[in-house]
Amino acid sequence: MKKMFVLSMFICFAMICACQKQDSAAEAQLAQRKAELDTREKALDEREKALVEREKAITKFRPIPSNVQSRRPVVDPEQAKAERERRKAERERRIQQLPPELQALIPDRSLLDAQTAEKGTATEDRAERLRRLEEERRKKMSATASPNAALSDTQPSSPSPSPTPQ
């Protein structure tokens, strides 16, 4: 009877040890999986941060949309002419202050004035061409942005067929 008791105690002890051994193996496997998940989560966080930085960089360097008005101030032709006249008067005043021998080195002022006038008109012509090109580009961009608007400009308004079958 004593042998039977010792044998049953030994079997119970062996079962308890086996269960504990399986539990520790399961815990080790769980810890390994948790470490893998943590590593994946960190990698995902890094990718997310890199994506956010990239989006910030893209929005920072994105070109100004064409429909936004130019930030340059609009030059009034009258103001531009008055500014040229003021500069001309200032230049004449400075030339008059020079000694006569230095004044002789300056080419004929009428030629300078003619060249300046030509340069001024060329600048105005260029500004006008740039303004026209900008208007044309805006028209094209608005037509590209809304194809229905372009169709309505070229065709009389009529109901268009639906692209999906009914």
Side-chain angles (χ1 to χ4, degrees):
M1 181 124 140
K2 207 176 196 187
K3 287 183 181 182
M4 184 88 107
F5 178 70
V6 171
L7 186 61
S8 64
M9 288 299 282
F10 181 70
I11 292 173
C12 288
F13 182 70
M15 287 176 66
I16 290 173
C17 287
C19 289
Q20 285 181 349
K21 188 175 181 182
Q22 286 178 357
D23 287 345
S24 64
E27 285 177 8
Q29 187 180 13
L30 182 63
Q32 182 183 1
R33 291 178 81 187
K34 186 176 181 183
E36 288 174 2
L37 286 175
D38 287 342
T39 306
R40 286 182 183 176
E41 187 175 356
K42 287 179 183 177
L44 189 60
D45 287 342
E46 290 294 321
R47 288 176 66 189
E48 187 176 354
K49 286 179 184 177
L51 183 62
V52 167
E53 290 297 322
R54 183 177 176 209
E55 287 177 352
K56 284 182 182 178
I58 289 172
T59 56
K60 183 178 179 181
F61 296 113
R62 183 170 287 161
I64 297 172
S66 62
N67 59 357
V68 176
Q69 290 291 330
S70 174
R71 302 262 190 258
R72 289 186 294 169
V74 177
V75 178
D76 183 26
E78 295 297 322
Q79 288 179 343
K81 187 175 181 181
E83 181 66 21
R84 282 194 303 274
E85 293 296 324
R86 187 189 61 78
R87 287 181 187 165
K88 182 179 174 184
E90 179 70 20
R91 185 177 65 239
E92 289 294 326
R93 186 184 60 79
R94 286 185 182 174
I95 290 173
Q96 292 298 327
Q97 292 176 350
L98 292 174
E101 54 274 356
L102 290 178
Q103 286 182 6
L105 296 175
I106 297 174
D108 188 16
R109 290 182 198 128
S110 62
L111 293 175
L112 285 176
D113 292 341
Q115 290 173 351
T116 306
E118 287 176 14
K119 194 182 290 184
T121 56
T123 304
E124 290 173 0
D125 291 343
R126 189 174 347 157
E128 181 67 23
R129 282 191 307 246
L130 287 173
R131 186 184 60 78
R132 288 180 188 159
L133 285 172
E134 183 67 23
E135 287 176 2
E136 289 296 323
R137 187 175 63 83
R138 284 186 187 145
K139 287 178 184 177
K140 287 179 183 177
M141 291 301 290
S142 65
T144 305
S146 59
N148 291 337
L151 289 177
S152 66
D153 290 345
T154 58
Q155 298 175 351
S157 59
S158 63
S160 59
S162 174
T164 57
Q166 295 178 352

